[in-house]
Amino acid sequence: MTTYSDTNEFEGATFQHASFKGATLRYSDVSGVTMRSVDVGGLDIDSHDLFSGSLYVNGVDVVPLVDAELNRQFPGRELQKAQTPAGLREAWVAVQSAWQTTVADTPPDLVDAHVEDEWSLAQTLRHLVLATDAWLRGGILRIEQPFHEIGQIFTGADRMGFDMSVFRVDPPPYDEVLAVRAERQRLVTDFLATATPELLAEERDDPWGGGDWHPTVGDCIRVILEEEWAHLRYVRRDLARLR
């Protein structure tokens, strides 16, 4: 199959009587795409940014419906937007409890298994270490080099000029992943234990650079919560297929 990468040649294009059956789109911009009289049987869309926009199906914006259904499937997910210290503490307890169940229920032979082009459970936990490092240690605490060497960074970071030398090349043992993950979980727990409304309102710089957005401390915590719930969903989706 032909692979199209790093191209803008389809922007504004019109496709008529064309077949995209079985095609795969990754890390691509399909915002504003209009589809009419199309066969969408089995169409599978997964977008981390879905809830910051709209998605119309037969004239209905389905984003609120998807959000509500995910809240039903993942009790406690609705707390990720909490604004108070007490609310964020409750949100953190909820998502960590959900993660504890998933990690405990995953047999050893599946911790490094993965669906094609997706992260394994071990890799996902390493990414959550990185997310905590970026948004708590880097964004909130302003540690100059906040990243643990086992962190799993997002695809394309090298093309953005990120210094990849801070990360270990060889995958760490799963026991080490769990230990570092637990340490980072405790960092968030301890931080939230003493957080005040005044602290949550303080502004910080975006840990990934750029000067247009200055998140509050509360925003940084909410990004961590969003990462936790999103990747829990990915892992449970893929483990169900692997089983």
Side-chain angles (χ1 to χ4, degrees), residues 151-173:
Q152 179 87 29
I153 200 163
F154 50 85
T155 302
D158 53 342
R159 294 198 299 271
M160 295 169 57
F162 191 85
D163 180 11
M164 303 293 288
S165 67
V166 302
F167 300 113
R168 193 186 307 180
V169 175
D170 297 328

Side-chain angles (χ1 to χ4, degrees), residues 1-224:
M1 297 294 291
T2 303
T3 298
Y4 300 92
S5 182
D6 299 313
T7 178
N8 297 326
E9 65 178 296
F10 302 116
E11 287 190 2
T14 298
F15 301 93
Q16 293 186 6
H17 304 290
S19 175
F20 296 95
K21 187 175 182 178
T24 299
L25 282 75
R26 289 185 178 274
Y27 314 110
S28 298
D29 185 355
V30 293
S31 59
V33 170
T34 299
M35 303 168 69
R36 296 287 185 266
S37 301
V38 292
D39 182 357
V40 295
L43 179 65
D44 187 350
I45 300 175
D46 205 311
S47 171
H48 184 69
D49 298 321
L50 177 67
F51 307 105
S52 61
S54 57
L55 175 64
Y56 287 90
V57 178
N58 289 4
V60 178
D61 182 4
V62 300
V63 170
L65 307 179
V66 174
D67 198 27
E69 174 58 19
L70 289 177
N71 287 342
R72 187 192 68 80
Q73 292 182 17
F74 296 88
R77 178 182 175 275
E78 72 281 357
L79 300 171
Q80 66 183 325
K81 298 179 182 179
Q83 300 295 312
T84 66
L88 291 174
R89 285 191 286 269
E90 184 180 1
W92 180 247
V93 169
V95 74
Q96 294 315 298
S97 176
W99 264 111
Q100 183 179 25
T101 298
T102 294
V103 171
D105 289 348
T106 301
D109 62 316
L110 288 185
V111 298
D112 291 312
H114 63 91
V115 174
E116 184 179 4
D117 296 325
E118 303 291 348
W119 284 337
S120 66
L121 172 61
Q123 289 173 306
T124 300
L125 295 176
R126 291 169 56 198
H127 179 71
L128 293 176
V129 166
L130 176 130
T132 302
D133 285 345
W135 293 98
L136 177 57
R137 287 168 49 82
I140 296 175
L141 301 180
R142 297 166 172 162
I143 297 173
E144 186 174 353
Q145 201 300 85
F147 298 107
H148 194 284
E149 63 177 11
I150 73 165
Q152 179 87 29
I153 200 163
F154 50 85
T155 302
D158 53 342
R159 294 198 299 271
M160 295 169 57
F162 191 85
D163 180 11
M164 303 293 288
S165 67
V166 302
F167 300 113
R168 193 186 307 180
V169 175
D170 297 328
Y174 187 57
D175 286 347
E176 183 180 0
V177 173
L178 292 178
V180 177
R181 164 69 167 160
E183 179 188 15
R184 291 309 193 259
Q185 289 171 302
R186 285 193 296 271
L187 287 178
V188 179
T189 300
D190 292 346
F191 176 81
L192 288 174
T194 59
T196 63
E198 292 74 21
L199 176 58
L200 294 179
E202 290 182 10
E203 284 194 351
R204 294 291 191 268
D205 293 330
D206 183 342
W208 295 113
D212 295 337
W213 181 47
H214 294 280
T216 65
V217 170
D219 290 332
C220 293
I221 294 296
R222 283 183 284 274
V223 171
I224 293 174

